[in-house]
Amino acid sequence: MKYSIVASVSNKGFGPVVFKGNLKASILKAKKLGYEGIELAIKKPDSINLRKLEKLVNKHDLEVVAIGTGQIYSDYGLSFSDSRKSVRREAIENVKKIIDIASCFNSKIIIGLIRGKIDSSYNFDKKLEITEKRIYECLSECLSYHSIHKVDFLLEPINRYETNIFNTLEDVSNFLERYEDKLEVNRIGILADTFHMNIEEPVIHISIEKYINLIKHVHFADSNRLAPGFGHIDFHRIIEVLKKCCYQGYISFEILPLPDPETSAKKALEFVKAIELK
Ligand code: LER
Ligand code: MN
């Protein structure tokens, strides 16, 4: 199994991230703790010094596994489902800049919170149809942005308290099926996050097995979003299923930095490696 950890380039915002700010320090800590990859959360793509980042990850032999875009929504309010075209445009332009970065590292782009949500439950089904079409249009433009260095995308099911579009693995799978003639769906995978799955899926490991062909990235956090082992999710069954299905992607820890960043990052890896090697 390959493990990575989420690091936010910016200092503030979005809670369940272990390392924040000072990218060099985050990379060094991840490497020292035994991670093979790093997942970056970026909200200001212009602030990234690509050459410096490339040098750093090459020097430390660390893969930039994926890049998260959620802070562009949580901090700037930009999303793919906004009813204002200008806001959707701004969201797309930001994601395109992230695609430029991702294409240097062959990282996947995470479409989590940036897909947005539907504001009111009035006439929900109709709104969902319209919103899904907006998401499709934005995704389609992002997918066709780089014709040479194509990067893949990840759609993350997120629990109902954070969004009302795509809460389950089945929701994402159905969306991809509905748009399979219009979207390059072979370039869109599911990001399965155990924290959200614990809220939305009937049995986490059964859903993982059912949708394994679509799952291209995994977020691990326990039921309380602490490191695995600090809550009540059955990671033994999850790792067993991932192993049985020969899952080839990364498992990335998106956890609260508690009791402190280093301890959470260290304990997370120790806990899952002990299960894996059983
Ligand atoms: C992002 O990966 C995520 O899991 C969301 O909960 C963001 O709030
Ligand atoms: Mn997640």
Side-chain angles (χ1 to χ4, degrees), residues 96-141:
K96 282 183 179 172
K97 288 181 185 171
I98 289 187
I99 296 172
D100 288 337
I101 301 169
S103 67
C104 297
F105 302 100
N106 199 24
S107 327
K108 297 181 171 72
I109 308 266
I110 300 173
I111 304 297
L113 287 175
I114 200 164
R115 67 172 162 283
K117 58 181 159 194
I118 299 164
D119 291 334
S120 93
S121 54
Y122 174 71
N123 222 349
F124 188 81
D125 289 344
K126 184 72 203 154
K127 281 186 185 147
L128 183 60
E129 200 183 309
I130 296 168
T131 309
E132 277 196 6
K133 189 162 168 281
R134 287 183 187 140
I135 295 172
Y136 144 69
E137 284 167 355
C138 294
L139 254 176
S140 172
E141 186 173 336

Side-chain angles (χ1 to χ4, degrees), residues 86-98:
S86 59
V87 175
R88 300 202 296 277
R89 170 66 27 220
E90 243 195 287
I92 292 173
E93 294 311 322
N94 272 281
V95 173
K96 282 183 179 172
K97 288 181 185 171
I98 289 187

Side-chain angles (χ1 to χ4, degrees), residues 149-167:
H149 303 293
K150 287 188 173 182
V151 296
D152 290 343
F153 285 70
L154 299 162
L155 255 177
E156 181 179 29
I158 289 181
N159 80 75
R160 68 190 69 193
Y161 305 108
E162 295 185 55
T163 184
N164 44 16
I165 312 165
F166 312 143
N167 300 127

Side-chain angles (χ1 to χ4, degrees), residues 14 156 158 191 193 196 219 225 254:
F14 187 53
E156 181 179 29
I158 289 181
L191 192 183
D193 181 323
H196 301 302
H219 276 168
R225 239 174 183 176
E254 186 184 51

Side-chain angles (χ1 to χ4, degrees), residues 44-57:
K44 282 192 197 143
D46 290 333
S47 71
I48 303 290
N49 182 333
L50 259 183
R51 296 296 144 248
K52 219 169 140 185
L53 180 59
E54 248 179 332
K55 253 177 103 176
L56 254 176
V57 293

